[in-house]
Amino acid sequence: MISLAIETGAPVISRIDPPNWWPSLPDPMLLVYGRNLQNAKFKVRGSRVRIERAQPSANGHYAFLQLSTKSAGAQHLRITAASAEGTTAADWELKPREPETGRHQGFSPADVMYLIMTDRFADGDPNNNQPGYDPAAPRGWHGGDLRGVDAHLDYIQKLGATTLWLTPILSNGSEKDSYHGYAAADMYAVDSHFGTLSDYLKLVRDLHSRDMKIVFDIVPNHIGLDSPWVHDPPAPDWLHGTAEHHTQTRYNIQELADPHVTPADGWDITHGWFVDSMPDLNQENPLVAKYLIENAIWWTETAGLDGLRVDTFPYVGREFWAQFHRELNAVYPKLTTVGEIYNGDPKLTSFFAGGVEHQGIDTGLYTPFDFPVFFTFRDVLLRNTPMSTLKELLGQDYLYPHPERLVTFFGNHDTKRFMSELGATPQKLKLAFVLLATLRGTPELYSGDEIAMLGADDPDNRRDFPGGFKSSSHDAFAAAGRTAAEQEMYAWTTGLFKLRAQHQAFATGEQQNLTADTTTFAFLRGENLNAGCKPGSPERILIALSKDPAERSVEIPVAQTGLEGCTSFRLLFPIPSAEVKQQAGKVLVPLQAGGAAIFSVR
């Protein structure tokens, strides 16, 4: 039940969100936690700082304070709450901002994103393996932490990754099955299973010192049952419903894009609880919206974040996302965001992309994850779907304002591992990596796929990375510790991402699909592809691959394509492989069974 009892006694301040701020950023709204605040008069002692508005909760457990700090400098403040029963005070700080150099960079198609589920990667500090630690339980805490990630940055960087995405690091309280991090109890604290805020800041500094980037996994849609807000919300409509009385969300997010549905059709999607253990936040309440946006700014400023991964994006209203991105990008114009829209239809995925209005609202999202490519990768490589289906899907890129930004992937922490799919083979996984490394977009790799890890549906797809834990049978972080199969896949993956980093065509080039049939696909990457090769033209890259069980050649007509006038085809990957044969009006690319080849073309 929600607590409505009004207590009596002297005011008490037990906590303030956010724990600090910066004077040059937008004026902050403080959420003060305590007791007996309902009749308190609030004051702030500091230079050029004032309270514009105070709004206590009816039961006196919270108060919202809107501060004016625009003309203030960095300083320590004293906030007091006084009533007839007594006075209390708390210290709070306006901090100086750090230099922008190397911070808030944003990710782009020039990057390779590496996804780590923190609890399942490496245990760098056994001392934080707290109650709930149960390595044998598929849904238990296994001990992975921030120090474990930091200790293996050499491995991640040598793999070719430039950007690290960690699943949420916020405290999930005492929930025994929240190793995944998606049920926050405290939005300003690092979960003690993962370490401390200092551990996280060190990890980010170490990444930035390597010219690498960090993406923070943020969840404005919901919280966890251990949050104090569940049974004592700061405002009556802080949540959509209550723990005892709430609607379950419907996952048919296509109705959000349907111009003919009634408001009732989409209501449960954005107002229902994602699952019963994840209370849904009410972003329509301006106080909730302000709190969530401020929280994102606080983490971005505190840690120097480069990007945000936004969980369950469609389940929050478009109005909030427009405000979220407008206010965040006003402070951090280079910061980029990627949203989870778990659906295979590009017409729906593109509906949530920023850069265009739908229903009169631009969400502002930098890019969605390319779930349509994810599903199509698996269909064409594992389920006898023609390779031409991928070409047809890419032909719908016109739906997106910026298809070049899409974050492509063939696996993540919510999907079955590629190698555990029916019909998967190491050779098919290699083809998946070829596509991932060379298609338009920003590639995202789920940790462990580079060594062909197995894993069925959740939670089996979240097995411990071998070498990160005392119980590991071997150490896949080191070449000497990998099995022969792991080393073969690792070498293939690193070779592809090294190649990607060496050729600008993958970072900024266009894509031109040349030919596709049942088993083969060939395409170009580069600049000015409609003009063909001319003296002084920039390099372009030809990628051809075949899933045919027998050797075959890909025949590509060159007239009115980016290959017209090209005379030089230099093999880049893999070595050795067959060479391109040029004939009148076409080129032939011989491919091994289930093989691929990448060429520099001029």
Side-chain angles (χ1 to χ4, degrees), residues 116-156:
I116 289 176
M117 176 156 272
T118 309
D119 181 65
R120 304 302 168 90
F121 189 66
D123 187 352
D125 182 8
N127 293 321
N128 59 33
N129 295 339
Q130 299 162 359
Y133 173 70
D134 187 357
R139 297 188 186 276
W141 294 87
H142 289 192
D145 50 35
L146 296 167
R147 291 189 183 184
V149 176
D150 204 6
H152 293 97
L153 293 186
D154 278 346
Y155 171 85
I156 297 167

Side-chain angles (χ1 to χ4, degrees), residues 278-344:
M278 293 179 175
D280 199 69
L281 291 165
N282 177 17
Q283 299 82 12
E284 293 87 2
N285 181 329
L287 295 173
V288 177
K290 177 71 172 175
Y291 184 96
L292 293 172
I293 293 168
E294 203 165 80
N295 179 257
I297 291 175
W298 187 88
W299 278 104
T300 303
E301 186 67 24
T302 296
L305 304 177
D306 300 299
L308 302 175
R309 181 266 182 181
V310 187
D311 186 67
T312 50
F313 192 84
Y315 298 91
V316 177
R318 296 178 70 86
E319 296 88 347
F320 171 77
W321 290 128
Q323 179 187 357
F324 179 90
H325 285 103
R326 182 172 60 251
E327 296 189 20
L328 209 63
N329 291 334
V331 183
Y332 309 106
K334 294 182 179 179
L335 187 81
T336 46
T337 56
V338 54
E340 179 198 30
I341 298 101
Y342 201 132
N343 191 279

Side-chain angles (χ1 to χ4, degrees), residues 132-325:
Y133 173 70
D134 187 357
R139 297 188 186 276
W141 294 87
H142 289 192
D145 50 35
L146 296 167
R147 291 189 183 184
V149 176
D150 204 6
H152 293 97
L153 293 186
D154 278 346
Y155 171 85
I156 297 167
Q157 189 170 33
K158 289 176 181 177
L159 177 63
T162 64
T163 300
L164 186 62
W165 159 28
L166 298 181
T167 49
I169 63 165
L170 300 184
S171 172
N172 278 220
S174 60
E175 292 195 48
K176 62 175 183 154
D177 294 337
S178 282
Y179 69 92
H180 47 73
Y182 288 98
D186 185 340
M187 298 184 74
Y188 282 98
V190 172
D191 197 291
S192 56
H193 291 90
F194 300 145
T196 65
L197 178 60
S198 294
D199 291 332
Y200 185 68
L201 298 184
K202 180 181 182 300
L203 170 62
V204 176
R205 287 195 303 271
D206 290 346
L207 283 165
H208 285 164
S209 71
R210 296 167 177 259
D211 294 323
M212 298 175 71
K213 302 173 184 178
I214 185 71
V215 168
F216 189 85
D217 202 328
I218 195 166
V219 192
N221 180 59
H222 55 261
I223 52 174
L225 290 176
D226 249 22
S227 169
W229 300 340
V230 177
H231 298 290
D232 186 14
D237 59 345
W238 193 258
L239 302 175
H240 287 135
T242 67
E244 296 80 15
H245 303 287
H246 60 265
T247 300
Q248 178 75 39
T249 194
R250 289 183 298 114
Y251 305 105
N252 53 333
I253 59 174
Q254 64 272 13
E255 291 190 8
L256 296 173
D258 185 344
H260 307 296
V261 299
T262 68
D265 290 321
W267 192 91
D268 286 348
I269 301 172
T270 56
H271 290 67
W273 289 26
F274 195 71
V275 293
D276 286 338
S277 60
M278 293 179 175
D280 199 69
L281 291 165
N282 177 17
Q283 299 82 12
E284 293 87 2
N285 181 329
L287 295 173
V288 177
K290 177 71 172 175
Y291 184 96
L292 293 172
I293 293 168
E294 203 165 80
N295 179 257
I297 291 175
W298 187 88
W299 278 104
T300 303
E301 186 67 24
T302 296
L305 304 177
D306 300 299
L308 302 175
R309 181 266 182 181
V310 187
D311 186 67
T312 50
F313 192 84
Y315 298 91
V316 177
R318 296 178 70 86
E319 296 88 347
F320 171 77
W321 290 128
Q323 179 187 357
F324 179 90
H325 285 103

Side-chain angles (χ1 to χ4, degrees), residues 26 30 111 134 188 212 240 257 263 272 316 326 344 354 361 367 377 456 478 483 487 516 563 569 574 588:
L30 311 189
D111 291 304
D134 187 357
Y188 282 98
M212 298 175 71
H240 287 135
V316 177
R326 182 172 60 251
I361 299 171
T367 190
F377 273 8
T483 67
Q487 179 58 30
L563 293 179
F569 293 80
L588 296 176

Side-chain angles (χ1 to χ4, degrees), residues 397-418:
D397 274 359
Y398 67 86
L399 294 165
Y400 299 95
H402 294 285
E404 74 282 359
R405 296 178 179 177
L406 287 163
V407 175
T408 55
F409 66 103
F410 62 77
N412 66 22
H413 59 305
D414 290 323
T415 67
K416 183 183 293 186
R417 289 276 189 183
F418 186 96

Side-chain angles (χ1 to χ4, degrees), residues 385-450:
T385 301
M387 286 289 281
S388 56
T389 305
L390 178 57
K391 179 177 179 289
E392 292 165 3
L393 173 71
L394 295 168
Q396 298 183 68
D397 274 359
Y398 67 86
L399 294 165
Y400 299 95
H402 294 285
E404 74 282 359
R405 296 178 179 177
L406 287 163
V407 175
T408 55
F409 66 103
F410 62 77
N412 66 22
H413 59 305
D414 290 323
T415 67
K416 183 183 293 186
R417 289 276 189 183
F418 186 96
M419 284 301 294
S420 286
E421 288 273 23
L422 183 66
T425 65
Q427 194 60 36
K428 291 178 181 178
L429 180 58
K430 287 182 176 181
L431 290 182
F433 272 117
V434 170
L435 289 169
L436 182 68
T438 59
L439 282 179
R440 60 67 179 140
T442 304
E444 174 258 297
L445 166 65
Y446 179 32
S447 61
D449 281 340
E450 72 274 16

Side-chain angles (χ1 to χ4, degrees), residues 78-105:
R78 187 86 166 163
I79 296 173
T80 60
S83 71
E85 286 78 16
T87 301
T88 188
D91 293 324
W92 197 74
E93 185 179 3
L94 288 171
K95 291 185 174 183
R97 295 184 70 183
E98 293 188 28
E100 280 293 284
T101 304
R103 292 159 55 92
H104 315 136
Q105 304 167 80

